Structure formats: C-alpha cells, structure tokens
Amino acid sequence: MARRLSFADSLGVKAIVAQLEILAREDPVAWKVSPLLRRCAEAGQSLAEARPKQ
C-alpha cells in the first residue's frame, strides 16, 4: 500500500483529482473522487502526510 501512496504522491494529488474529475464526467459512479483525495488536493497535502502515523 505504501508503494501505491508514494506513486500517487509522485504524480501529485491535485493532478490525480483533476484526471478523475475528467473521467467522472463520462462515468461518475466508476470514477468518483474519494473524500481523502479531495481533502488532500484542497489542502495541498500529500497522501503520505494524510496517512495516520503508526
């Protein structure tokens, strides 16, 4: 899981949300943006920063 989060962070959360919003125009059920992704994008936060500390 951490590897996927790192990959997503390397792409940029804002860029991922932007692409998902484009895809959601075609199929909003399949491409719904998760609340966590949206919060991170709006806050300028990475997924790694949003992840609970262990």
Side-chain angles (χ1 to χ4, degrees), residues 21-33:
E21 287 174 339
I22 291 168
L23 292 168
R25 289 184 210 141
E26 295 177 28
D27 189 346
V29 174
W31 297 105
K32 183 176 180 180
V33 178

Side-chain angles (χ1 to χ4, degrees), residues 3-20:
R3 189 173 279 173
R4 284 180 267 171
L5 292 178
S6 295
F7 180 67
D9 283 339
S10 74
L11 296 175
V13 177
K14 286 183 181 182
I16 292 171
V17 169
Q19 286 298 307
L20 288 172

Side-chain angles (χ1 to χ4, degrees), residues 28-50:
V29 174
W31 297 105
K32 183 176 180 180
V33 178
S34 77
L36 176 61
L37 275 175
R38 190 165 304 282
R39 280 195 309 271
C40 287
E42 290 171 355
Q45 186 179 37
S46 71
L47 289 171
E49 293 169 324

